[in-house]
Amino acid sequence: MLPIVLLSVFGIVMLFLGFMKSRAVLLPAALLFLLVALGTSFLDWGHSYLYFRDMLLVNNQTILFSAITMLSAFMVIALSGDFLQDEAAQPAEYYAIMLFSIVGAIMMIGFENLIMLFVGVEILSVSMYVLTGSDKKNIRSNEAALKYFLMGAFATGIMLFGMALLYGAVGSFTITDITAFVSLSRGGISLLLLMGLMLVLIGMLFKVSAAPFHFWTPDVYDGAPTLFTAFMSTVVKTAGFAALLRLLMAVSATSMYDRWWQIVAGITVLTLLAGNLTAVYQNSFKRMMAYSSISHAGYLLIALAALGQQSNGALAFYSLAYSVATIAAFGILLLVAKQRGKDGQRDETYEAFNGLAKQNPLLAFILAVSMLSLAGIPLTAGFWGKFMVFSTAVEKGMVWMLVVAVLMSAVGIYYYFRVVIAMYFRTGEVTAIRVAPFYRIVLIVATVLTIVLGLAPGLVQGLI
């Protein structure tokens, strides 16, 4: 609970810091606030507590997923040094909103009552609507924010209706009561309960960009400022899947699982196909990353469809590996698109990366490692993430789903390697990309994490 209180206070403090004449203090303050919140979250490690009138559960699972979101937010904010030189930017407001959004993410991750889940989803969603439309002079940003808001409002309505049906079936909003109700039903599951669960699932699947609820994703990712795209593709996805895991664990009794796993499995396959096959045809690196995000939602859904003892660890490790690699990729896109843009327009196509390895071998290496990890190549964190997720499918005997996932992983190698080929085998501009020292350190840390977790995945598995 302490991180929720601290981040709420820190967000307000950040708004007041925005009144200072100098902006230099904002970035260090935001990073310090996140480090303090991250450190205090581990004070409850090894214990299990209920807070806010038993509406929020804090245990190791909550702490682990919360730590991944705070680490992701820390790395994204660390890449935001350009805000301090941009007169049009409002860094104090941006940092405050991001701190508040982490509060919503933690509420989603540790919810014990469906009302807490709803409040968390809304805090996180409203924050993302604002950040997506923060580039007010950019028509694409405005369009993305409007689409995100409309689809988010639609999803919220569906989710609320589902919660009402769940309450009608169980007579309670708490996870404990829902679990007890399902366990005692012994095969006599009511249609009301099943419909309620499906509607809540649909509402949450909108948030994690699973097909066929993914239509807003490419436009929103494309239109939002790149830094906030990195934030939403990591923090929102991690919080969304942690919430889905908690919800589905509550209805994992055999009588109920037999009814919903086939629906989740169908959505999983559809998400894998839609994300990977559409990414192949993209000419924009940023849009490719949007469809890549959809495909990774598909891989994460495998661990939910094959819900078992390994699912928790697989989702946590995969979320960490995906977040680190994605932030590194978007960090380099931010530099390349800005410094190789033409006529004041950012260049986010594959061509912008041509010849990057000759002028900036370090940046090319970092981006290559992140692409390898996202593709699931051995000796990277992404490989072990996929291995753990695929293992859950094997444990449940879902070999057919595993075959689809492996085939789609092969397709993913094609579009991830397009940027690697552009960097190492094509000629481009001779001007080197300028990188600020702190920015370089963050990218190096992300790469080291990807490699270390690829070589020694047990370092994190021991915490799970």
Side-chain angles (χ1 to χ4, degrees), residues 90-375:
Q90 303 294 332
E93 284 84 346
Y94 299 160
Y95 296 151
I97 292 171
M98 284 195 271
L99 294 178
F100 289 139
S101 70
I102 298 296
V103 173
I106 296 175
M107 287 180 174
M108 290 172 61
I109 291 167
F111 80 94
E112 173 63 18
N113 189 301
L114 292 177
I115 294 175
M116 183 62 78
L117 171 64
F118 173 72
V119 173
V121 167
E122 285 309 291
I123 292 175
L124 185 58
S125 298
V126 172
S127 301
M128 290 301 101
Y129 303 152
V130 176
L131 293 178
T132 301
S134 59
D135 190 0
K136 289 176 282 190
K137 294 182 179 178
N138 186 338
I139 188 78
R140 287 169 55 199
S141 177
N142 294 330
E143 178 189 348
L146 180 62
K147 285 183 176 178
Y148 199 4
F149 170 72
L150 291 175
M151 294 301 292
F154 187 60
T156 298
I158 293 174
M159 188 171 66
L160 269 180
F161 188 45
M163 289 179 180
L165 294 183
L166 280 178
Y167 185 84
V170 180
S172 171
F173 282 124
T174 65
I175 289 295
T176 304
D177 290 340
I178 293 172
T179 304
F181 181 85
V182 172
S183 300
L184 294 173
S185 295
R186 297 178 181 176
I189 299 298
S190 71
L191 182 62
L192 199 62
L193 177 66
L194 188 60
M195 285 181 62
L197 176 64
M198 288 300 108
L199 291 178
V200 175
L201 266 181
I202 289 172
M204 290 302 300
L205 290 172
F206 267 111
K207 304 297 179 186
V208 298
S209 308
F213 317 107
H214 66 290
F215 289 110
W216 60 269
T217 305
D219 291 342
V220 173
Y221 275 43
D222 199 23
T226 302
L227 195 72
F228 300 140
T229 304
F231 189 83
M232 77 174 71
S233 65
T234 53
V235 172
V236 176
K237 200 175 290 293
T238 300
F241 273 99
L244 279 169
L245 174 67
R246 186 147 179 72
L247 178 68
L248 293 178
M249 286 293 287
V251 291
S252 60
T254 305
S255 57
M256 195 68 181
Y257 176 78
D258 289 342
R259 286 171 167 79
W260 62 255
W261 81 265
Q262 295 174 354
I263 297 172
V264 176
I267 292 172
T268 301
V269 172
L270 192 59
T271 305
L272 287 170
L273 294 173
N276 284 292
L277 296 181
T278 319
V280 170
Y281 297 100
Q282 303 306 311
N283 293 318
S284 162
F285 179 77
K286 196 174 181 182
R287 286 188 76 85
M288 181 277 284
M289 288 297 290
Y291 284 102
S292 159
S293 171
I294 296 168
S295 73
H296 285 283
Y299 296 120
L300 286 161
L301 279 171
I302 292 174
L304 294 180
L307 195 63
Q309 293 181 346
Q310 298 183 35
S311 294
N312 182 27
L315 282 175
F317 191 95
Y318 198 106
S319 298
L320 178 60
Y322 169 77
S323 298
V324 172
T326 300
I327 290 169
F330 276 118
I332 294 184
L333 171 66
L334 205 60
L335 292 171
V336 172
K338 181 180 180 182
Q339 298 187 33
R340 290 193 170 179
K342 295 174 183 175
D343 302 326
Q345 299 294 319
R346 295 175 184 269
D347 188 355
E348 294 168 347
T349 63
Y350 285 103
E351 286 72 22
F353 295 90
N354 287 350
L356 185 67
K358 291 182 180 176
Q359 288 83 37
N360 295 85
L362 179 62
L363 290 186
F365 175 74
I366 290 171
L367 186 55
V369 170
S370 69
M371 291 295 102
L372 292 174
S373 183
L374 291 173

Side-chain angles (χ1 to χ4, degrees), residues 365-395:
F365 175 74
I366 290 171
L367 186 55
V369 170
S370 69
M371 291 295 102
L372 292 174
S373 183
L374 291 173
I377 302 299
L379 303 183
T380 63
F383 168 76
W384 289 108
K386 278 195 171 71
F387 178 81
M388 292 178 192
V389 164
F390 291 172
S391 297
T392 62
V394 173
E395 186 184 33

